[in-house]
């Protein structure tokens, strides 16, 4: 069971709910060690006093704010003393339509859990009220010596907390991104075909359909190198579309997408017919079919799982 990264009280109006904050996501990031080329020797980072060159123990390091001609030293307990609500208050100042919060403001996601079983009723009340209203609670709180702007919303049967960027942290794209098209107007025929292509490529959102293939390739590379083998290089990035050929490329893409969609629909119809046939069979018959198909783990599957595996 995960440990909370923060605990405190969430308040809305005069209602106070003790809560605990839990990390909602994991990372696939592969962590490389630094080693000296040609050796197996690790490179270590040390905290060194830049004047004396001597290593400094972690307990002797404090935060220093540059005041120009000197550093103002700040102790951890002093930071806690000035934190709003002594870093234990998560106060909802108001509720907004979730659609009004632009995606660029979202940063990290956490789960909020009740501070104990005795607070389940208040927790469920807020979760269901947010779920039914479609709104998110906007709040601020302090965690690890940093103040966060957050949105609290309902997701299924849990409360989720999304940290948000402050307004002055979001950069203006018109100042940051060169060569934006501005008032450039595409041809109506090209726009219509592009819209048809988007519709032809529309899919339901199933996050389980996607996986981190890059980290898998990195692991294969490491395994191959350890055995003195080589791995196949990835395909080169496609060339940019020539503006002159844009309409031809759009039409070709649309024809391909529509053809693939028809094939998918035909496959789905065949699957539904097959499923209808399988649902009329006994579990023993389904097990025999699964055995013929070589489906792994079939002995522990129930009837529904067998049908699902046979129609996959």
């Amino acid at each position: 069971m995960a440990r909370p990264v923060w605990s405190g009280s969430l308040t809305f109006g005069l209602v106070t709910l003790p809560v605990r904050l839990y990390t909602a996501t994991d990372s696939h990031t592969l962590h490389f060690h630094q080693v000296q080329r040609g050796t197996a020797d690790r490179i270590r980072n040390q905290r060194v006093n830049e004047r004396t060159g001597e290593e400094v123990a972690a307990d002797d390091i404090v935060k220093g704010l540059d005041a120009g001609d000197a550093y103002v030293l700040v102790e951890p307990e002093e930071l806690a003393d000035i934190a709003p609500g002594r870093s234990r208050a998560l106060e909802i100042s108001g509720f907004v339509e979730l659609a009004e919060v632009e995606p660029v403001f979202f940063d990290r996601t956490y789960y909020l859990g009740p501070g104990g079983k005795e607070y389940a009723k208040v927790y469920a009340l807020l979760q269901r009220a947010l779920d039914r209203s479609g709104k998110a609670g906007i709040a601020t709180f302090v965690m690890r010596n940093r103040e966060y702007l957050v949105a609290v919303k309902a997701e299924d049967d849990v409360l989720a907390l999304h940290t948000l960027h402050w307004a002055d942290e979001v950069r203006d794209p018109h100042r940051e991104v060169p060569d934006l098209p501005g008032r450039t107007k595409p041809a109506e025929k090209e726009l219509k075909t592009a819209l048809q292509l988007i519709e032809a490529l529309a899919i339901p959102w199933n996050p389980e359909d996607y996986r981190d293939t890059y980290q898998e390739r990195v692991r294969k590379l490491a395994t191959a190198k350890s055995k003195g083998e080589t791995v196949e290089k990835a395909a080169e990035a496609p060339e940019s579309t020539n503006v002159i050929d844009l309409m031809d490329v759009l039409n070709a893409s649309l024809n391909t997408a529509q053809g693939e969609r028809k094939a998918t629909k035909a496959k789905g119809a065949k699957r539904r017919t097959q499923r209808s046939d399988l649902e009329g069979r006994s579990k023993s018959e389904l097990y025999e079919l699964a055995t013929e198909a070589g489906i792994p783990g079939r002995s522990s599957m129930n009837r529904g799982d067998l049908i699902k595996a046979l129609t996959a």
Side-chain angles (χ1 to χ4, degrees):
M1 185 174 294
R3 295 179 59 184
V5 296
W6 180 89
S7 61
S9 295
L10 182 153
T11 62
F12 57 107
L14 298 177
V15 180
T16 298
L17 169 65
V19 291
R20 297 173 183 144
L21 193 66
Y22 301 85
T23 303
T25 58
D26 289 319
S27 173
H28 287 159
T29 302
L30 293 174
H31 298 284
F32 292 92
H33 294 299
Q34 292 181 319
V35 297
Q36 184 176 356
R37 190 187 300 277
T39 74
D41 300 336
R42 286 277 303 275
I43 304 300
R44 301 286 182 178
N45 293 321
Q46 294 179 314
R47 296 179 175 88
V48 176
N49 183 313
E50 67 176 17
R51 180 178 58 82
T52 66
E54 297 178 357
E55 187 174 358
V56 181
D59 291 343
D60 292 331
I61 298 176
V62 295
K63 295 182 183 294
L65 193 63
D66 191 349
D69 57 347
Y71 282 97
V72 177
L73 303 185
V74 182
E75 298 290 345
E77 57 270 18
E78 292 177 306
L79 291 172
D81 286 341
I82 65 169
R86 286 189 173 272
S87 306
R88 288 291 176 264
L90 176 60
E91 182 178 358
I92 293 178
S93 58
F95 297 90
V96 302
E97 292 290 342
L98 194 60
E100 292 181 7
V101 185
E102 298 169 352
V104 70
F105 282 93
F106 285 89
D107 186 15
R108 296 195 64 183
T109 301
Y110 296 86
Y111 293 135
L112 272 175
K117 292 182 179 180
E118 63 270 32
Y119 306 111
K121 184 176 180 179
V122 182
Y123 182 92
L125 174 66
L126 178 58
Q127 184 274 324
R128 292 180 186 177
L130 286 175
D131 184 45
R132 188 169 296 184
S133 69
K135 289 182 167 56
I138 301 299
T140 59
F141 82 116
V142 174
M143 177 173 66
R144 296 169 182 166
N145 297 323
R146 179 181 171 186
E147 187 169 13
Y148 291 89
L149 175 68
V150 302
V152 178
K153 64 182 288 285
E155 291 185 7
D156 295 326
D157 59 348
V158 70
L159 288 174
L161 180 147
H162 303 275
T163 59
L164 306 173
H165 292 290
W166 301 96
D168 59 1
E169 292 180 327
V170 178
R171 296 179 177 181
D172 181 351
H174 296 91
R175 294 178 59 182
E176 302 295 330
V177 184
D179 304 324
L180 286 175
R183 296 183 180 274
T184 302
K185 189 176 180 180
E188 191 60 33
K189 189 175 181 180
E190 292 173 347
L191 180 58
K192 182 179 178 180
T193 306
L195 289 171
Q196 290 176 321
L197 177 58
I198 290 173
E199 186 59 36
L201 293 173
I203 58 174
W205 168 235
N206 294 313
E208 295 82 5
D209 293 342
Y210 304 89
R211 70 181 197 279
D212 185 353
T213 58
Y214 178 73
Q215 61 92 18
E216 292 176 2
R217 290 196 293 269
V218 172
R219 292 186 187 280
K220 286 181 180 179
L221 172 63
T223 300
K225 292 197 70 172
S226 69
K227 297 179 180 179
E229 301 172 353
T230 59
V231 294
E232 184 180 352
K233 292 184 178 181
E236 294 291 334
E239 295 183 4
S240 301
T241 300
N242 190 323
V243 177
I244 298 174
D245 303 326
L246 181 57
M247 196 63 207
D248 291 337
V249 173
L250 284 171
N251 281 322
S253 301
L254 180 58
N255 291 334
T256 300
Q258 289 176 335
E260 291 177 350
R261 171 156 286 195
K262 286 180 181 178
T264 301
K265 285 184 177 179
K267 188 176 180 180
K270 183 179 179 181
R271 229 179 239 174
R272 287 192 294 273
T273 301
Q274 183 184 13
R275 186 179 185 88
S276 178
D277 172 64
L278 292 174
E279 286 175 347
R281 295 176 180 251
S282 65
K283 183 178 178 180
S284 59
E285 290 176 316
L286 294 173
Y287 182 77
E288 289 178 9
L289 291 172
T291 302
E292 292 174 7
I295 294 175
R298 56 189 176 275
S299 59
S300 61
M301 292 183 180
N302 58 34
R303 192 170 178 279
D305 290 337
L306 286 168
I307 292 175
K308 186 177 180 180
L310 287 166
T311 55

